[in-house]
Amino acid sequence: MEGQSVTKVVLLSCGSFNPITNMHLRMFELARDHLEDTGQYKVVKGIISPVGDGYKKKGLIDAYHRQEMAKLATENSDWITVDTWESLQPVWVETVKVVRHHYNEMLAAEQKNDDVDTVKYAKKRRIEGNYFEDSSHDKRRGGPQLMLLCGADILESFGIPNLWKQDDIAEIVGRYGLVCITRSGNDPHKCIHQSEILWKYRKNIQVVQEWVTNEISATHVRLALRRGRSVRYLLPDAVVHYIQEHDLYSAESEQKNADVVLAPLQKYTGASSS
Ligand SMILES: Nc1ncnc2c1ncn2[C@@H]1O[C@H](COP(=O)(O)OP(=O)(O)OP(=O)(O)O)[C@@H](O)[C@H]1O
Ligand SMILES: NC(=O)c1ccc[n+]([C@@H]2O[C@H](COP(=O)(O)O)[C@@H](O)[C@H]2O)c1
């Protein structure tokens, strides 16, 4: 569109990826189509950030294998990459810190390109700590905007008491922005309507309607694997082979962390942190 500036976007998705599925990859394609259709954005990169072992979710296999599977799944993509910073941290890292890390990496990359003025401007905004209702500081900076990409279950989880800090939600949505893919069983518009904080920053939330509903979930994939059923066409072939080669998912692996629960996950199990 003539006269309208196009904002470059980097999409970041955080999750267990235990294992990565075709739907995780589809999320990126759906988000890119949606954003670029608006005429306001150009998606330049997608980052998959598998959670570290410190997350201690039941059945979460070693981060090393989850990373390797994500790398195999994205080897044919020319824009989706896997980043291991989060999974290499010795303890679980809240999502807002992962987002900040990637934002700072983007600033550092811009600095390398000698884009001094825009970097100075972005740093100034960071120090001021102000959030804008339309992330316009990034547009003015001229560099790409970082947005968190997630399924509607994550948006809904923002409303679960004590799972996410309100300040973290405000920073993720208010400062960076969120792209949310619909998932059956979740109603993102209702979540936004019911939450003061999401409502305040609603202009920074892009809800992407997935019409070809696809209920692939990593939990169902692990269940099928434990039962010796085929998971072909739910995951990239290279990932299926990797799982077979390393015999990754079994009744035993599903019991991993069964009695060790990280504080943010207590709501799922009622167990206490160790
Ligand atoms: N079928 C799907 N539709 C939309 N979003 C999805 C879908 N599957 C996963 N996601 C999103 O992908 C991201 C990473 O998800 P995660 O690794 O937790 O996978 P999952 O399939 O939801 O796992 P599990 O079934 O074990 O809870 C999250 O933002 C999640 O909402
Ligand atoms: N307070 C927080 O930052 C917070 C709380 C719960 C989950 N998460 C993140 O959301 C993702 C959820 O993944 P799962 O759906 O596989 O549990 C993970 O990346 C996890 O780190 C973040």
Side-chain angles (χ1 to χ4, degrees):
M1 257 176 274
E2 223 180 309
Q4 192 182 342
S5 68
V6 172
T7 305
K8 288 183 196 153
V9 170
V10 173
L11 293 170
L12 169 68
S13 179
C14 295
S16 301
F17 302 103
N18 185 35
I20 191 161
T21 69
N22 285 342
M23 193 53 207
H24 291 133
L25 301 168
R26 288 283 307 145
M27 284 203 322
F28 280 91
E29 298 290 329
L30 290 163
R32 181 168 72 163
D33 277 356
H34 175 91
L35 290 175
E36 294 192 352
D37 250 15
T38 64
Q40 294 171 34
Y41 301 101
K42 166 88 187 136
V43 178
V44 293
K45 188 177 175 180
I47 304 172
I48 292 175
S49 179
V51 77
D53 293 332
Y55 192 46
K56 305 279 184 209
K57 188 172 175 176
K58 184 173 171 286
L60 189 70
I61 67 159
D62 282 359
Y64 172 78
H65 287 307
R66 291 180 288 109
Q67 279 167 21
E68 288 302 300
M69 290 187 281
K71 285 178 191 167
L72 287 170
T74 51
E75 64 189 358
N76 294 324
S77 173
D78 57 1
W79 70 284
I80 309 171
T81 59
V82 180
D83 190 276
T84 57
W85 178 84
E86 180 182 1
S87 56
L88 292 175
Q89 302 310 303
V91 290
W92 174 65
V93 185
E94 287 100 330
T95 299
V96 72
K97 293 182 184 160
V98 182
V99 180
R100 274 183 214 148
H101 165 80
H102 286 285
Y103 185 73
N104 290 334
E105 290 282 293
M106 274 173 26
L107 290 186
E110 284 170 37
Q111 211 154 16
K112 264 197 197 150
N113 291 336
D114 288 325
D115 202 355
V116 179
D117 286 345
T118 56
V119 173
K120 256 195 219 151
Y121 181 75
K123 281 198 171 147
K124 183 170 172 285
R125 305 309 301 180
R126 194 152 38 118
I127 292 159
E128 285 169 0
N130 287 333
Y131 307 141
F132 293 86
E133 292 194 8
D134 65 353
S135 299
S136 53
H137 61 301
D138 273 304
K139 281 179 206 155
R140 276 180 270 161
R141 173 170 59 87
Q145 181 179 342
L146 182 66
M147 296 176 94
L148 187 69
L149 170 64
C150 67
D153 54 314
I154 298 288
L155 188 80
E156 197 163 305
S157 83
F158 285 173
I160 296 169
N162 304 322
L163 187 61
W164 298 80
K165 292 187 192 117
Q166 293 303 293
D167 286 352
D168 288 7
I169 298 173
E171 185 170 339
I172 291 171
V173 186
R175 181 182 169 88
Y176 300 100
L178 195 76
V179 183
C180 172
I181 312 290
T182 57
R183 215 173 166 175
S184 67
N186 303 99
D187 184 345
H189 294 290
K190 192 173 167 194
C191 292
I192 295 167
H193 183 74
Q194 288 179 338
S195 155
E196 288 305 328
I197 204 148
L198 295 180
W199 182 255
K200 179 174 178 191
Y201 294 120
R202 65 191 179 282
K203 289 183 187 151
N204 286 352
I205 305 175
Q206 300 276 340
V207 176
V208 182
Q209 180 68 47
E210 166 55 313
W211 293 109
V212 187
T213 52
N214 187 330
E215 274 319 294
I216 300 178
S217 93
T219 303
H220 286 114
V221 167
R222 294 197 305 279
L223 181 69
L225 285 164
R226 290 201 298 284
R227 292 179 176 171
R229 311 307 294 235
S230 166
V231 291
R232 198 158 181 214
Y233 309 120
L234 298 178
L235 321 176
D237 275 349
V239 175
V240 177
H241 292 146
Y242 187 91
I243 291 171
Q244 285 165 347
E245 197 183 325
H246 297 270
D247 197 11
L248 289 185
Y249 293 102
S250 60
E252 200 187 346
S253 72
E254 197 61 23
Q255 285 313 305
K256 203 170 165 213
N257 301 322
D259 51 357
V260 187
V261 181
L262 192 72
L265 296 177
Q266 282 174 19
K267 54 102 190 179
Y268 290 123
T269 63
S272 56
S273 337
S274 63

